[in-house]
Amino acid sequence: MKFMSGILVILLVLIVVGCEGVSRQSKAKIEAPEIGLSMPVPQGWIRDKRNPRLCFKGNYTGTVIDEALEGKDFYAYVEELSKDFGGKVVSKAPLEISGYKAIEAVIEYPDLGNKVIKLFIKKNDRLVEVSFVTSIKDFQKYAPSLRKALKSIEIK
């Protein structure tokens, strides 16, 4: 009987610790404080411990990068970036994120077998790109949680 009680206690501890890890993960954020961006990590994805601008789920990744526009036209540059590496734009929609102009694009890379959802944001003289890469076949499965995360972006 004592042995069974010990196993029960161990199981309860594992359940509590496991649930605690899940709740902490659901509060994880991708952050880029130097550009004022924060975004919740999509459901089921994990933020990289060494890089707060990166998250992943298996082989799939989410990243935040930014660069100076250096006088480039935002819309023309987004068009150029969307077609790099053989990308085929599936859809594109203008948005506004925290008062900044933005474009959401879904791009397929048939040669690589990938489908990407990208959010391009014009913040002053910088281009901020938030992107999530999955396989073409898994994209529809992850698209709702990725879009939810993208809609939750805050830029200060």
Short mmCIF file of all heavy atoms in Angstrom, two decimals, residues 63-116:
data_model
loop_
_atom_site.label_atom_id
_atom_site.label_comp_id
_atom_site.label_asym_id
_atom_site.label_seq_id
_atom_site.Cartn_x
_atom_site.Cartn_y
_atom_site.Cartn_z
N THR A 63 10.35 33.46 -37.16
CA THR A 63 11.43 34.40 -36.89
C THR A 63 10.97 35.84 -37.04
O THR A 63 9.99 36.12 -37.74
CB THR A 63 12.62 34.20 -37.85
OG1 THR A 63 12.16 34.38 -39.20
CG2 THR A 63 13.24 32.84 -37.71
N VAL A 64 11.71 36.72 -36.41
CA VAL A 64 11.55 38.16 -36.57
C VAL A 64 12.90 38.70 -37.01
O VAL A 64 13.91 38.47 -36.34
CB VAL A 64 11.12 38.84 -35.25
CG1 VAL A 64 11.09 40.36 -35.43
CG2 VAL A 64 9.78 38.33 -34.78
N ILE A 65 12.90 39.39 -38.14
CA ILE A 65 14.11 40.07 -38.59
C ILE A 65 13.74 41.51 -38.92
O ILE A 65 12.57 41.81 -39.16
CB ILE A 65 14.78 39.38 -39.79
CG1 ILE A 65 13.84 39.32 -41.00
CG2 ILE A 65 15.28 38.00 -39.43
CD1 ILE A 65 14.50 38.84 -42.27
N ASP A 66 14.72 42.38 -38.91
CA ASP A 66 14.46 43.75 -39.32
C ASP A 66 15.70 44.29 -40.01
O ASP A 66 16.80 43.80 -39.80
CB ASP A 66 14.05 44.63 -38.14
CG ASP A 66 15.17 44.89 -37.17
OD1 ASP A 66 15.59 43.94 -36.48
OD2 ASP A 66 15.64 46.04 -37.10
N GLU A 67 15.47 45.26 -40.88
CA GLU A 67 16.57 45.89 -41.61
C GLU A 67 16.17 47.31 -41.99
O GLU A 67 14.98 47.63 -42.04
CB GLU A 67 16.91 45.09 -42.87
CG GLU A 67 15.77 45.05 -43.89
CD GLU A 67 16.13 44.28 -45.16
OE1 GLU A 67 16.81 44.87 -46.01
OE2 GLU A 67 15.71 43.11 -45.25
N ALA A 68 17.16 48.12 -42.24
CA ALA A 68 16.92 49.49 -42.68
C ALA A 68 16.39 49.46 -44.12
O ALA A 68 16.86 48.67 -44.94
CB ALA A 68 18.20 50.31 -42.62
N LEU A 69 15.39 50.28 -44.40
CA LEU A 69 14.87 50.36 -45.77
C LEU A 69 15.82 51.11 -46.71
O LEU A 69 15.79 50.90 -47.91
CB LEU A 69 13.49 51.05 -45.78
CG LEU A 69 12.33 50.14 -45.40
CD1 LEU A 69 11.07 50.96 -45.18
CD2 LEU A 69 12.11 49.08 -46.47
N GLU A 70 16.66 51.97 -46.15
CA GLU A 70 17.66 52.70 -46.93
C GLU A 70 17.07 53.35 -48.17
O GLU A 70 17.60 53.23 -49.27
CB GLU A 70 18.82 51.77 -47.30
CG GLU A 70 19.54 51.22 -46.09
CD GLU A 70 20.62 50.21 -46.41
OE1 GLU A 70 20.55 49.53 -47.47
OE2 GLU A 70 21.54 50.09 -45.58
N GLY A 71 15.94 54.02 -47.99
CA GLY A 71 15.31 54.76 -49.09
C GLY A 71 14.48 53.92 -50.05
O GLY A 71 13.87 54.46 -50.97
N LYS A 72 14.43 52.60 -49.84
CA LYS A 72 13.63 51.74 -50.73
C LYS A 72 12.15 51.97 -50.47
O LYS A 72 11.73 52.22 -49.35
CB LYS A 72 13.94 50.26 -50.48
CG LYS A 72 15.36 49.88 -50.79
CD LYS A 72 15.60 48.42 -50.38
CE LYS A 72 17.08 48.12 -50.45
NZ LYS A 72 17.50 47.19 -49.43
N ASP A 73 11.35 51.85 -51.53
CA ASP A 73 9.90 51.92 -51.40
C ASP A 73 9.43 50.64 -50.70
O ASP A 73 9.74 49.52 -51.14
CB ASP A 73 9.25 52.04 -52.79
CG ASP A 73 7.75 52.04 -52.70
OD1 ASP A 73 7.18 53.08 -52.33
OD2 ASP A 73 7.14 50.97 -52.97
N PHE A 74 8.69 50.80 -49.60
CA PHE A 74 8.23 49.66 -48.80
C PHE A 74 7.49 48.63 -49.65
O PHE A 74 7.81 47.44 -49.62
CB PHE A 74 7.34 50.17 -47.66
CG PHE A 74 6.65 49.09 -46.87
CD1 PHE A 74 7.37 48.24 -46.04
CD2 PHE A 74 5.28 48.94 -46.93
CE1 PHE A 74 6.74 47.26 -45.29
CE2 PHE A 74 4.63 47.95 -46.19
CZ PHE A 74 5.37 47.11 -45.37
N TYR A 75 6.50 49.07 -50.42
CA TYR A 75 5.66 48.13 -51.19
C TYR A 75 6.46 47.41 -52.28
O TYR A 75 6.30 46.20 -52.47
CB TYR A 75 4.45 48.86 -51.77
CG TYR A 75 3.54 49.40 -50.69
CD1 TYR A 75 3.55 50.75 -50.35
CD2 TYR A 75 2.71 48.56 -49.97
CE1 TYR A 75 2.74 51.26 -49.34
CE2 TYR A 75 1.90 49.04 -48.95
CZ TYR A 75 1.92 50.39 -48.64
OH TYR A 75 1.13 50.87 -47.64
N ALA A 76 7.32 48.14 -52.97
CA ALA A 76 8.14 47.52 -54.02
C ALA A 76 9.13 46.52 -53.41
O ALA A 76 9.36 45.44 -53.97
CB ALA A 76 8.88 48.60 -54.81
N TYR A 77 9.69 46.87 -52.26
CA TYR A 77 10.65 45.98 -51.61
C TYR A 77 9.97 44.71 -51.11
O TYR A 77 10.51 43.61 -51.24
CB TYR A 77 11.37 46.71 -50.49
CG TYR A 77 12.58 45.99 -49.96
CD1 TYR A 77 13.51 45.39 -50.82
CD2 TYR A 77 12.82 45.90 -48.59
CE1 TYR A 77 14.62 44.74 -50.33
CE2 TYR A 77 13.93 45.25 -48.09
CZ TYR A 77 14.83 44.66 -48.96
OH TYR A 77 15.94 44.01 -48.48
N VAL A 78 8.77 44.84 -50.56
CA VAL A 78 8.01 43.66 -50.12
C VAL A 78 7.74 42.75 -51.32
O VAL A 78 7.88 41.53 -51.23
CB VAL A 78 6.69 44.07 -49.42
CG1 VAL A 78 5.74 42.89 -49.28
CG2 VAL A 78 6.99 44.68 -48.05
N GLU A 79 7.38 43.33 -52.44
CA GLU A 79 7.14 42.55 -53.67
C GLU A 79 8.41 41.78 -54.07
O GLU A 79 8.34 40.60 -54.39
CB GLU A 79 6.70 43.50 -54.79
CG GLU A 79 6.19 42.81 -56.02
CD GLU A 79 4.85 42.11 -55.82
OE1 GLU A 79 4.07 42.51 -54.96
OE2 GLU A 79 4.61 41.12 -56.54
N GLU A 80 9.52 42.48 -54.03
CA GLU A 80 10.81 41.85 -54.38
C GLU A 80 11.15 40.71 -53.42
O GLU A 80 11.51 39.61 -53.85
CB GLU A 80 11.90 42.93 -54.33
CG GLU A 80 13.28 42.45 -54.65
CD GLU A 80 14.32 43.56 -54.47
OE1 GLU A 80 14.02 44.73 -54.75
OE2 GLU A 80 15.44 43.22 -54.03
N LEU A 81 11.02 40.96 -52.11
CA LEU A 81 11.32 39.93 -51.11
C LEU A 81 10.40 38.72 -51.23
O LEU A 81 10.82 37.59 -50.99
CB LEU A 81 11.22 40.52 -49.70
CG LEU A 81 12.28 41.53 -49.30
CD1 LEU A 81 11.93 42.16 -47.94
CD2 LEU A 81 13.65 40.88 -49.24
N SER A 82 9.15 38.96 -51.61
CA SER A 82 8.17 37.87 -51.72
C SER A 82 8.51 36.91 -52.84
O SER A 82 8.11 35.75 -52.82
CB SER A 82 6.77 38.45 -51.93
OG SER A 82 6.38 39.23 -50.83
N LYS A 83 9.24 37.38 -53.84
CA LYS A 83 9.56 36.54 -55.00
C LYS A 83 10.97 35.97 -54.95
O LYS A 83 11.33 35.16 -55.80
CB LYS A 83 9.35 37.35 -56.27
CG LYS A 83 7.89 37.68 -56.49
CD LYS A 83 7.67 38.51 -57.73
CE LYS A 83 6.19 38.83 -57.88
NZ LYS A 83 5.95 39.72 -59.00
N ASP A 84 11.75 36.37 -53.93
CA ASP A 84 13.10 35.81 -53.79
C ASP A 84 13.04 34.30 -53.64
O ASP A 84 12.06 33.75 -53.13
CB ASP A 84 13.79 36.40 -52.55
CG ASP A 84 14.46 37.73 -52.83
OD1 ASP A 84 14.50 38.16 -54.00
OD2 ASP A 84 14.95 38.35 -51.86
N PHE A 85 14.08 33.64 -54.07
CA PHE A 85 14.25 32.18 -53.92
C PHE A 85 13.12 31.39 -54.58
O PHE A 85 12.75 30.32 -54.11
CB PHE A 85 14.38 31.79 -52.45
CG PHE A 85 15.45 32.56 -51.72
CD1 PHE A 85 15.10 33.56 -50.82
CD2 PHE A 85 16.78 32.31 -51.95
CE1 PHE A 85 16.08 34.28 -50.16
CE2 PHE A 85 17.77 33.03 -51.30
CZ PHE A 85 17.42 34.02 -50.40
N GLY A 86 12.54 31.93 -55.65
CA GLY A 86 11.49 31.21 -56.39
C GLY A 86 10.14 31.23 -55.72
O GLY A 86 9.28 30.39 -56.01
N GLY A 87 9.91 32.20 -54.83
CA GLY A 87 8.64 32.29 -54.13
C GLY A 87 7.49 32.63 -55.05
O GLY A 87 7.63 33.44 -55.97
N LYS A 88 6.35 32.00 -54.82
CA LYS A 88 5.11 32.28 -55.57
C LYS A 88 4.09 32.80 -54.57
O LYS A 88 3.67 32.07 -53.66
CB LYS A 88 4.60 31.03 -56.25
CG LYS A 88 5.57 30.49 -57.31
CD LYS A 88 4.98 29.28 -58.00
CE LYS A 88 5.93 28.56 -58.88
NZ LYS A 88 6.66 29.16 -59.85
N VAL A 89 3.70 34.06 -54.75
CA VAL A 89 2.76 34.69 -53.82
C VAL A 89 1.37 34.07 -54.01
O VAL A 89 0.81 34.11 -55.11
CB VAL A 89 2.71 36.21 -54.02
CG1 VAL A 89 1.69 36.84 -53.09
CG2 VAL A 89 4.10 36.82 -53.79
N VAL A 90 0.83 33.50 -52.95
CA VAL A 90 -0.49 32.89 -52.96
C VAL A 90 -1.55 33.93 -52.63
O VAL A 90 -2.61 33.99 -53.23
CB VAL A 90 -0.56 31.70 -51.96
CG1 VAL A 90 -1.97 31.14 -51.87
CG2 VAL A 90 0.44 30.63 -52.33
N SER A 91 -1.24 34.78 -51.63
CA SER A 91 -2.16 35.85 -51.25
C SER A 91 -1.37 36.98 -50.61
O SER A 91 -0.27 36.77 -50.10
CB SER A 91 -3.23 35.34 -50.29
OG SER A 91 -2.66 34.98 -49.05
N LYS A 92 -1.97 38.16 -50.66
CA LYS A 92 -1.34 39.33 -50.07
C LYS A 92 -2.45 40.27 -49.62
O LYS A 92 -3.41 40.47 -50.36
CB LYS A 92 -0.44 40.01 -51.10
CG LYS A 92 0.54 40.95 -50.51
CD LYS A 92 1.70 41.37 -51.40
CE LYS A 92 1.43 41.45 -52.85
NZ LYS A 92 2.46 42.13 -53.58
N ALA A 93 -2.33 40.81 -48.41
CA ALA A 93 -3.36 41.71 -47.88
C ALA A 93 -2.71 42.83 -47.08
O ALA A 93 -1.84 42.58 -46.25
CB ALA A 93 -4.33 40.93 -46.99
N PRO A 94 -3.16 44.08 -47.33
CA PRO A 94 -2.64 45.20 -46.53
C PRO A 94 -3.28 45.18 -45.14
O PRO A 94 -4.44 44.81 -44.98
CB PRO A 94 -3.07 46.43 -47.33
CG PRO A 94 -4.28 45.98 -48.09
CD PRO A 94 -4.10 44.52 -48.36
N LEU A 95 -2.50 45.56 -44.14
CA LEU A 95 -2.96 45.60 -42.75
C LEU A 95 -2.37 46.83 -42.08
O LEU A 95 -1.54 47.53 -42.65
CB LEU A 95 -2.47 44.37 -41.98
CG LEU A 95 -2.89 42.99 -42.44
CD1 LEU A 95 -2.09 41.94 -41.69
CD2 LEU A 95 -4.36 42.79 -42.19
N GLU A 96 -2.79 47.03 -40.84
CA GLU A 96 -2.17 48.03 -39.99
C GLU A 96 -1.89 47.35 -38.66
O GLU A 96 -2.76 46.71 -38.08
CB GLU A 96 -3.09 49.23 -39.80
CG GLU A 96 -2.41 50.39 -39.15
CD GLU A 96 -3.28 51.63 -39.13
OE1 GLU A 96 -3.51 52.21 -40.21
OE2 GLU A 96 -3.73 52.00 -38.02
N ILE A 97 -0.65 47.46 -38.18
CA ILE A 97 -0.24 46.86 -36.91
C ILE A 97 0.25 47.98 -36.00
O ILE A 97 1.23 48.65 -36.33
CB ILE A 97 0.90 45.83 -37.11
CG1 ILE A 97 0.52 44.76 -38.13
CG2 ILE A 97 1.34 45.24 -35.78
CD1 ILE A 97 -0.52 43.78 -37.70
N SER A 98 -0.43 48.21 -34.91
CA SER A 98 -0.07 49.26 -33.95
C SER A 98 0.15 50.61 -34.63
O SER A 98 1.05 51.36 -34.28
CB SER A 98 1.19 48.85 -33.17
OG SER A 98 0.97 47.69 -32.42
N GLY A 99 -0.66 50.89 -35.65
CA GLY A 99 -0.57 52.16 -36.35
C GLY A 99 0.44 52.20 -37.49
O GLY A 99 0.59 53.22 -38.16
N TYR A 100 1.14 51.09 -37.74
CA TYR A 100 2.13 51.03 -38.81
C TYR A 100 1.58 50.25 -40.01
O TYR A 100 0.85 49.28 -39.84
CB TYR A 100 3.42 50.34 -38.32
CG TYR A 100 4.12 51.10 -37.22
CD1 TYR A 100 3.96 50.72 -35.89
CD2 TYR A 100 4.91 52.20 -37.51
CE1 TYR A 100 4.59 51.42 -34.88
CE2 TYR A 100 5.55 52.91 -36.50
CZ TYR A 100 5.38 52.51 -35.19
OH TYR A 100 6.00 53.22 -34.17
N LYS A 101 1.96 50.68 -41.22
CA LYS A 101 1.56 49.97 -42.44
C LYS A 101 2.18 48.57 -42.42
O LYS A 101 3.33 48.39 -42.00
CB LYS A 101 2.08 50.70 -43.68
CG LYS A 101 1.44 52.04 -43.92
CD LYS A 101 2.05 52.69 -45.14
CE LYS A 101 1.51 54.10 -45.31
NZ LYS A 101 2.13 54.79 -46.44
N ALA A 102 1.39 47.60 -42.90
CA ALA A 102 1.87 46.22 -42.93
C ALA A 102 1.23 45.48 -44.10
O ALA A 102 0.19 45.89 -44.62
CB ALA A 102 1.54 45.52 -41.62
N ILE A 103 1.86 44.39 -44.49
CA ILE A 103 1.34 43.51 -45.53
C ILE A 103 1.51 42.07 -45.05
O ILE A 103 2.60 41.68 -44.64
CB ILE A 103 2.10 43.69 -46.87
CG1 ILE A 103 1.89 45.11 -47.39
CG2 ILE A 103 1.64 42.65 -47.89
CD1 ILE A 103 2.73 45.45 -48.61
N GLU A 104 0.42 41.31 -45.10
CA GLU A 104 0.50 39.88 -44.82
C GLU A 104 0.57 39.15 -46.15
O GLU A 104 -0.27 39.39 -47.03
CB GLU A 104 -0.71 39.39 -44.04
CG GLU A 104 -0.64 37.90 -43.74
CD GLU A 104 -1.91 37.35 -43.16
OE1 GLU A 104 -2.16 37.59 -41.96
OE2 GLU A 104 -2.67 36.69 -43.90
N ALA A 105 1.55 38.30 -46.31
CA ALA A 105 1.70 37.54 -47.55
C ALA A 105 1.84 36.06 -47.23
O ALA A 105 2.52 35.68 -46.27
CB ALA A 105 2.93 38.02 -48.33
N VAL A 106 1.19 35.23 -48.05
CA VAL A 106 1.39 33.79 -47.99
C VAL A 106 2.15 33.43 -49.26
O VAL A 106 1.73 33.80 -50.36
CB VAL A 106 0.05 33.02 -47.91
CG1 VAL A 106 0.29 31.51 -47.96
CG2 VAL A 106 -0.69 33.39 -46.63
N ILE A 107 3.29 32.77 -49.08
CA ILE A 107 4.19 32.50 -50.19
C ILE A 107 4.54 31.02 -50.20
O ILE A 107 4.86 30.44 -49.16
CB ILE A 107 5.49 33.34 -50.06
CG1 ILE A 107 5.13 34.82 -49.91
CG2 ILE A 107 6.42 33.10 -51.23
CD1 ILE A 107 6.27 35.68 -49.40
N GLU A 108 4.49 30.41 -51.39
CA GLU A 108 4.90 29.02 -51.56
C GLU A 108 6.27 28.98 -52.22
O GLU A 108 6.56 29.78 -53.11
CB GLU A 108 3.91 28.24 -52.43
CG GLU A 108 2.71 27.75 -51.70
CD GLU A 108 1.86 26.78 -52.50
OE1 GLU A 108 2.29 26.30 -53.57
OE2 GLU A 108 0.75 26.51 -52.04
N TYR A 109 7.07 28.04 -51.76
CA TYR A 109 8.37 27.78 -52.36
C TYR A 109 8.34 26.32 -52.83
O TYR A 109 8.79 25.42 -52.11
CB TYR A 109 9.49 28.01 -51.33
CG TYR A 109 9.56 29.44 -50.87
CD1 TYR A 109 8.83 29.88 -49.76
CD2 TYR A 109 10.33 30.36 -51.56
CE1 TYR A 109 8.88 31.20 -49.36
CE2 TYR A 109 10.39 31.69 -51.15
CZ TYR A 109 9.67 32.10 -50.06
OH TYR A 109 9.72 33.41 -49.66
N PRO A 110 7.78 26.09 -54.03
CA PRO A 110 7.57 24.71 -54.50
C PRO A 110 8.85 23.87 -54.55
O PRO A 110 8.82 22.69 -54.22
CB PRO A 110 6.99 24.88 -55.90
CG PRO A 110 6.57 26.30 -56.00
CD PRO A 110 7.33 27.07 -54.99
N ASP A 111 9.96 24.48 -54.95
CA ASP A 111 11.22 23.72 -55.03
C ASP A 111 11.69 23.24 -53.66
O ASP A 111 12.40 22.25 -53.57
CB ASP A 111 12.32 24.57 -55.69
CG ASP A 111 12.02 24.88 -57.15
OD1 ASP A 111 11.14 24.21 -57.74
OD2 ASP A 111 12.66 25.80 -57.69
N LEU A 112 11.32 23.96 -52.61
CA LEU A 112 11.72 23.60 -51.25
C LEU A 112 10.64 22.81 -50.51
O LEU A 112 10.88 22.26 -49.44
CB LEU A 112 12.06 24.86 -50.45
CG LEU A 112 13.16 25.75 -51.03
CD1 LEU A 112 13.26 27.06 -50.25
CD2 LEU A 112 14.49 25.01 -51.01
N GLY A 113 9.41 22.82 -51.05
CA GLY A 113 8.29 22.15 -50.38
C GLY A 113 7.74 22.93 -49.20
O GLY A 113 7.06 22.37 -48.35
N ASN A 114 8.03 24.24 -49.14
CA ASN A 114 7.62 25.07 -48.01
C ASN A 114 6.52 26.05 -48.37
O ASN A 114 6.42 26.49 -49.52
CB ASN A 114 8.80 25.89 -47.46
CG ASN A 114 9.87 25.03 -46.85
OD1 ASN A 114 9.61 23.94 -46.35
ND2 ASN A 114 11.09 25.50 -46.87
N LYS A 115 5.75 26.40 -47.37
CA LYS A 115 4.77 27.48 -47.47
C LYS A 115 5.01 28.38 -46.27
O LYS A 115 5.21 27.90 -45.16
CB LYS A 115 3.35 26.92 -47.47
CG LYS A 115 2.32 27.89 -47.98
CD LYS A 115 1.02 27.15 -48.29
CE LYS A 115 0.01 28.04 -48.94
NZ LYS A 115 -1.18 27.30 -49.36
N VAL A 116 5.00 29.68 -46.51
CA VAL A 116 5.37 30.64 -45.49
C VAL A 116 4.29 31.71 -45.37
O VAL A 116 3.74 32.15 -46.37
CB VAL A 116 6.71 31.34 -45.88
CG1 VAL A 116 7.12 32.34 -44.85
CG2 VAL A 116 7.79 30.31 -46.12
#
